Every structure is written in structure tokens, then in C-alpha cells.
Amino acid sequence: MSRNEEDLDRLQESVSLSIPKRQGEKTIQLLTKLKLLNRKLAPQTIDDQLHLPLSRAPQPQERRLLDSVLGKQSLLHEKFPFRSETIGSLEEVLARQLPSSIIPLVSKSFDVIGDIAIIELSPTTEPFEKSIAEALMKVHKNVKTVYSKAGPITDNQRLRPLHHVLGANRTQTIHTEMGCRFKIDISKAFFSPRLSAEHGRVAEQVRRGEHVVDMFAGVGPFSILIAKRLNDVQIDAIDANPEAAKLIEENARMNKVQDRMKVWSGDARVVVKNNLAGMASRVVMNHPSQAREFLEPACEALRRDGGIVHYYTFAEGADCELEARKELAGALDNTGWKVEKFMATRKVRGVAPMKWQVVLDAKLAPA
């Protein structure tokens, strides 16, 4: 990295991570999800290594996740140049295109899946949807299509109605997450890029020789990331949406893990009862609005001496994590199973004021 003395005056020291260039895409995605990437400073390339500036030192749990995905890493302290601000932030671009009274009402939170962005509009901002989409596409050059949310997610197949705003009128894309590639059709199957760190966190816990049942697999992010990390693992991925099941199979082949995965299309209760009873060491239950209804078949899927359940739910209030634990313990009454140990409880993401998606990692045993 050659720089003259004038350049050095414009540098800022930062904690940093050095990784092989081939790992650049998945590393940047992971650091972004963990809010660790310093966007004000420009990454630098030295030989075959990419040096990435961090906004702060990772916490121990974040370090373990980074090491599990990238291999053991050492943090550095280096100087980086500031990024050039030729386009400006989304808010700055919006300020050039919208009335000043509208800008505070525009939601700055949006999802990017592959090259498709999904934005949320209020009745006040809907008339400005094309200007908002244009600004987003100017700032995020990778985005080729913008949709807006047109209603809530349905409970059964977890689909959200969408409204096309700008760009190519298509719903299929390829999304990359932690080194895995996923074919996704946002109109036909559930996928949330906001759960990327959670996919990695759960996958990190799985050990060789395990048998995992993914009860609400979507397009397969939990299942495929686990299978990509471990050769000696068996995974049953289930989804009630037949279109999602087709995409899981395609994604398993795309990531070359089809030999350790079996895909089931149907109601998880029926699939478990007829095919998977007593087989799993671990069950993933990522359907926060309905997981409680599927707890008994989840226990049925576990080996007779018990196993681990990753139980997702919605909970409200300051004591939401305690309420989630009470929910799980209470739902196990009369099932013949009990919580032997809560291994972890954490807020995954906020979904409304004082309401969160919460995950419980619980070791269950026969009562």
C-alpha cells in the first residue's frame, strides 16, 4: 500500500481484519450484518489480502462467529483513507429529490435480497415511491429492482404481497450469504436477509455427526449453511410451501450439499410423525408466529434422550426474554418433555415498538 506524505494526513487509524481476497464478499456481508464494517473508511488491498476497517472491536461471541465462518483471524490496527463521497448518503440524495417535509417520513430501513430491494412506504410517502426508489438505486449500485411491501406476511406459507416500484419487473434473484448462494423468488418463498447473523450463530453450534431437523426451512439458509460447514451431518429440511421446497433442492445442488440433505414438502407435523420421529439431535423452529403450535412434533422429532431446540417467538415488553422462556416452559406442559437447560436467550430483531423476535436455545429432555 504505497502512499505519499500528503496522503498520510488524510488517513485514520482503525482496528481491522485482514482476509484473503477470495473471502471478501462473504466477509463484508457478515461484517455488515454485525454492524462491524466501518463504511467511512475505504478497504485496501495488499498482495492477495483484503484489509477491512472495523467500526469497533468484535465482542467475544462475534469473534467466535467470524472465526467459524472465516477461520481463525487476528485483528490489526492500520491506517485507512476516507471513502470519497461523490454520491452521498441516501438521506443526502433524497434531500435533492423530495420536499423537506417528506424526508423525515421516509423509512431508512429496507431489505436487499440479491439485487432486489424491498422498501416500506407509508400512505404519506407512497406518492414519492419512484423518487425514493431512484435515490436508493443511486446509492446502492448493486440494486437493480425495487419493490415495496403491500401487506403483512401470511402465517401459513409466509409470503408477503409486493408492489413493483422501479427497475426490472422480476422477483427472482441470487443472494449470497456467508459463502453460500441462494436462488430466491421473493414472490413465492420466505427469506429474510436480516437473519443472516442468526443463521451463522445457529450453524456454528452444530457438531459433526448431528441430525438436524429444520421445520420451517424457507429457501434453506439454516440447513444449507450447516451442511456447507460440516461434511458429517444429516439434515431434513421441511417447508409447507411447495415452491420453497423446490428452491431448497435447487440451492442444495448449487452449494453442492445435496448428499447430506433431504427436502420435504408438507406440514412439519405430518412429516415428522410419518418419517422423522426420534431421529433429531437438534430442531430449528424459525416460525415465530406459529412455533408454539409445532412444539409437540418438534419434541417427537428429538431422540428419545432429548436434544436441542432453537425456538423462535415474538415477545413484548421490557421482560420479553423472560416471557419467551415462560412461554416455552408452559407450552411443554402435558407433552412429556421439559426444559433441562436454557443455553441462550436473545433478541434477534425488533419488529415493532417494544416487540421483538426472540430465540431460545433450549436443551429438552423427557419429563
Side-chain angles (χ1 to χ4, degrees), residues 14-25:
S14 171
V15 62
S16 65
L17 192 64
S18 173
I19 47 98
K21 283 196 295 186
R22 66 178 184 277
Q23 293 184 308
E25 184 178 13

Side-chain angles (χ1 to χ4, degrees), residues 117-134:
I118 303 174
I119 61 177
E120 191 158 1
L121 299 171
S122 67
T124 307
T125 57
E126 277 180 2
F128 305 94
E129 60 176 16
K130 284 196 164 37
S131 294
I132 294 169
E134 285 172 359

Side-chain angles (χ1 to χ4, degrees), residues 235-288:
I235 301 165
D236 287 285
I238 311 168
D239 204 279
N241 179 354
E243 294 296 332
K246 290 177 187 174
L247 287 168
I248 300 172
E249 290 179 332
E250 284 192 56
N251 291 331
R253 289 193 294 271
M254 190 186 305
N255 290 281
K256 298 182 170 63
V257 296
Q258 68 272 22
D259 61 320
R260 38 202 182 271
M261 287 181 57
K262 184 169 179 59
V263 179
W264 305 85
S265 176
D267 188 298
R269 290 167 288 207
V270 177
V271 173
V272 168
K273 182 177 181 179
N274 293 340
N275 305 280
L276 304 175
M279 298 177 65
S281 60
R282 187 181 303 265
V283 177
V284 181
M285 305 184 70
N286 181 31
H287 195 337

Side-chain angles (χ1 to χ4, degrees), residues 188-202:
K188 293 181 178 179
F190 173 80
F191 179 80
S192 173
R194 302 185 188 200
L195 297 178
S196 174
E198 185 64 15
H199 300 151
R201 189 191 71 86
V202 170

Side-chain angles (χ1 to χ4, degrees), residues 143-313:
V143 172
K144 307 301 181 188
T145 300
V146 179
Y147 283 85
S148 66
K149 298 176 182 178
I153 292 175
T154 60
D155 268 350
N156 186 24
Q157 297 194 351
R158 297 189 292 171
L159 298 178
R160 183 191 293 279
L162 297 167
H163 164 66
H164 178 250
V165 179
L166 197 66
N169 192 357
R170 58 174 170 78
T171 55
Q172 281 193 3
T173 187
I174 299 294
H175 182 84
T176 303
E177 182 177 288
M178 296 187 188
C180 297
R181 299 174 73 237
F182 297 94
K183 180 179 178 181
I184 296 170
D185 190 323
I186 60 172
S187 70
K188 293 181 178 179
F190 173 80
F191 179 80
S192 173
R194 302 185 188 200
L195 297 178
S196 174
E198 185 64 15
H199 300 151
R201 189 191 71 86
V202 170
E204 180 188 3
Q205 298 180 41
V206 182
R207 297 293 175 257
R208 292 177 182 174
E210 285 205 44
H211 188 147
V212 180
V213 173
D214 188 355
M215 292 184 77
F216 315 102
V219 300
F222 280 106
S223 294
I224 287 169
L225 184 53
I226 293 167
K228 195 76 170 177
R229 286 187 65 248
L230 299 168
N231 292 324
D232 182 15
V233 69
Q234 186 175 349
I235 301 165
D236 287 285
I238 311 168
D239 204 279
N241 179 354
E243 294 296 332
K246 290 177 187 174
L247 287 168
I248 300 172
E249 290 179 332
E250 284 192 56
N251 291 331
R253 289 193 294 271
M254 190 186 305
N255 290 281
K256 298 182 170 63
V257 296
Q258 68 272 22
D259 61 320
R260 38 202 182 271
M261 287 181 57
K262 184 169 179 59
V263 179
W264 305 85
S265 176
D267 188 298
R269 290 167 288 207
V270 177
V271 173
V272 168
K273 182 177 181 179
N274 293 340
N275 305 280
L276 304 175
M279 298 177 65
S281 60
R282 187 181 303 265
V283 177
V284 181
M285 305 184 70
N286 181 31
H287 195 337
S289 63
Q290 290 195 356
R292 181 169 183 162
E293 300 172 29
F294 288 77
L295 192 54
E296 193 165 346
C299 294
E300 187 180 357
L302 290 174
R303 294 171 182 168
R304 297 285 69 92
D305 59 346
I308 296 166
V309 167
H310 301 281
Y311 179 86
Y312 294 81
T313 188

